[in-house]
Amino acid sequence: AIVFHGFALETGDNVVYQFVFTSLTAAVRSPWVPSTTPTTLTCPLPGWPFLAAFTRVSVFSKDVSTQVTTQVASAGPMEFKFEEFWRIVDPTSGPVTGGTQLVFRGGGFNTSSTVYSCGFVGVTGRLSTAATVATTALSCATPRWPYPAGNVSLELRQGAAAVLGPPQTKFEFLPTVLSAPRVSSGSATGNTTIEIALMGLDPASPDLLFCRFSEPAAGHSLDSLSVLPHRNASALRCVTPSWGQTLPASTTVLTVQRAGPPTRGPLLVLGDAPLQFTFLPVLSSVAGSRGLATGGTTVWVRGSGFGD
């Protein structure tokens, strides 16, 4: 809202007032509103769907009964600047590997300017990328974030000047699985060690990571038995569970999970292709080691992971 200070303003519903904002190329008008006091007038600020600019402000009064409009005299020229701004950014998270397209929505952006940039400011570092501009939105790709994953502050700049926006707006860089494990299959009895390459982990983080093996079609899933002590900023080692003890051997979807609320979901995977791990059937013993050459001898094969 904008507040006009004056004298002898008429109060009540018989007279209403309007602000008009005029630049060299455009003009906008506020809604008509009554004055609540003889010395101040408050009007909602209208939208300015043009480039940021200084405008001259004029105030008009209107008699409601006669619809006669009169310009209100002022002691001198009044000016108001509509600044470029942003208020919404989408999405609010993405992988540390970068490449997420962010869109800043706002107004007043100079479409002829090529010096807009998006800034990502974290505790451990700061990076920026060039932005592509339209009148009401700017877009940029997130950079590769070589620091521990987490929330960073967002800023938008035109050259060295910051563009107005909501304070403390955050973007979350998420730890990311870089590639499938080298060992992609193992015994259905479990105890196969797999190592998964990650990016963005913070060794000092209290987050507990573990591997989950799922068969979505059948609704089955098992989690890794343990996470080996070997955990750093670039790798996670998991030990496979005993899948074949209760389930037939199969190819499962492998995800890296963070302990905590289910809404946190699994870690992102570079390229979005799901990771897989195949549990193989295991032969543990054979009962009946000899029989007739003519056949017909029953042999019992024991193991894990056999299907029905």
Side-chain angles (χ1 to χ4, degrees):
I2 186 170
V3 179
F4 172 80
H5 296 279
F7 299 95
L9 296 172
E10 295 190 49
T11 59
D13 297 329
N14 293 327
V15 176
V16 289
Y17 296 87
Q18 183 183 65
F19 286 77
V20 179
F21 303 83
T22 307
S23 72
L24 294 176
T25 58
V28 295
R29 297 173 180 269
S30 74
W32 291 99
V33 294
S35 177
T36 56
T37 74
T39 57
T40 59
L41 174 63
T42 303
C43 259
L45 191 64
W48 182 261
F50 313 104
L51 297 182
F54 279 100
T55 61
R56 175 160 292 193
V57 183
S58 303
V59 182
F60 292 84
S61 65
K62 181 171 67 173
D63 188 300
V64 175
S65 59
T66 64
Q67 295 295 300
V68 173
T69 300
T70 306
Q71 184 170 354
V72 178
S74 64
M78 297 186 295
E79 289 188 333
F80 182 86
K81 184 181 181 182
F82 285 96
E83 300 271 11
E84 56 187 353
F85 71 95
W86 63 275
R87 60 187 174 197
I88 299 175
V89 62
D90 184 64
T92 57
S93 63
V96 290
T97 49
T100 301
Q101 287 294 326
L102 292 188
V103 178
F104 291 78
R105 302 192 184 280
F109 303 129
N110 185 352
T111 55
S112 63
S113 173
T114 58
V115 294
Y116 285 100
S117 63
C118 304
F120 304 83
V121 184
V123 175
T124 52
R126 172 191 178 125
L127 293 173
S128 62
T129 58
T132 302
V133 60
T135 304
T136 59
L138 290 111
S139 63
C140 60
T142 60
R144 184 179 178 88
W145 187 254
Y147 311 106
N151 287 314
V152 300
S153 296
L154 282 178
E155 61 181 21
L156 192 61
R157 290 184 173 273
Q158 184 184 25
V163 178
L164 292 176
Q168 304 302 316
T169 301
K170 302 292 185 181
F171 179 85
E172 184 181 9
F173 280 105
L174 301 172
T176 306
V177 177
L178 295 180
S179 61
R182 293 183 181 180
V183 178
S184 59
S185 62
S187 167
T189 57
N191 291 321
T192 299
T193 300
I194 60 175
E195 183 171 295
I196 301 173
L198 303 174
M199 180 178 174
L201 285 186
D202 183 356
S205 170
D207 278 354
L208 174 65
L209 301 181
F210 60 93
C211 297
R212 174 166 292 169
F213 304 84
S214 305
E215 196 176 15
H220 301 147
S221 68
L222 288 176
D223 296 336
S224 54
L225 287 177
S226 63
V227 179
L228 295 182
H230 176 76
R231 177 188 166 189
N232 53 40
S234 61
L236 172 72
R237 283 185 179 177
C238 293
V239 178
T240 62
S242 178
W243 182 271
Q245 188 172 3
T246 56
L247 301 168
S250 61
T251 297
T252 62
V253 175
L254 169 60
T255 56
V256 177
Q257 302 279 337
R258 290 181 288 182
T263 52
R264 300 184 73 184
L267 266 61
L268 302 176
V269 178
L270 183 63
D272 295 328
L275 306 183
Q276 293 183 331
F277 184 87
T278 301
F279 286 97
L280 303 173
V282 177
L283 175 64
S284 58
S285 65
V286 177
S289 58
R290 60 178 64 182
L292 297 175
T294 54
T297 302
T298 299
V299 178
W300 291 95
V301 178
R302 300 185 183 280
S304 299
F306 300 135
D308 294 333

